[in-house]
Amino acid sequence: AENILKQVQQGEIYRPGHYVAIDRSAKTIVLSIRGTMRVQDVLVDLVCEQEKFESIFDGDEVITGKAHQGFLIAAKRLARELHVL
């Protein structure tokens, strides 16, 4: 339990259940996001248009691509929320 930094079991629309933990032996942070389980998750799944995105990796490398719009909205929301951890 001391290695789990945050745990959200139920989630809500555009905020899936997830947990953040520390893997001390590998010296890494683990983010696990639950897949489709509830009606709210299905609603996100149905927002399935492609959306272009741009992300900064490792401080200066810009990555661009296309993503499932509902998943991208959820990922951005989680990123904003978890950034403070």
Side-chain angles (χ1 to χ4, degrees), residues 67-82:
H68 179 287
Q69 187 180 37
F71 297 171
L72 186 59
I73 292 168
K76 286 178 178 179
R77 184 174 178 184
L78 276 178
R80 282 191 304 272
E81 180 181 320
L82 298 176

Side-chain angles (χ1 to χ4, degrees), residues 15-32:
R15 186 176 179 257
H18 60 280
Y19 77 88
V20 180
I22 298 173
D23 181 340
R24 296 185 192 282
S25 63
K27 297 181 180 176
T28 59
I29 302 292
V30 178
L31 169 62
S32 178

Side-chain angles (χ1 to χ4, degrees), residues 27-83:
K27 297 181 180 176
T28 59
I29 302 292
V30 178
L31 169 62
S32 178
I33 300 173
R34 190 200 69 236
T36 303
M37 185 174 99
R38 301 173 349 132
V39 173
Q40 292 90 331
D41 302 326
V42 173
L43 295 174
V44 173
D45 294 349
L46 293 173
V47 182
C48 56
E49 296 293 321
Q50 283 188 358
E51 184 172 325
K52 292 181 180 180
F53 74 92
E54 184 175 283
S55 184
I56 298 174
F57 177 75
D58 205 18
D60 61 352
E61 183 181 352
V62 177
I63 298 171
T64 61
K66 294 180 182 177
H68 179 287
Q69 187 180 37
F71 297 171
L72 186 59
I73 292 168
K76 286 178 178 179
R77 184 174 178 184
L78 276 178
R80 282 191 304 272
E81 180 181 320
L82 298 176
H83 183 75

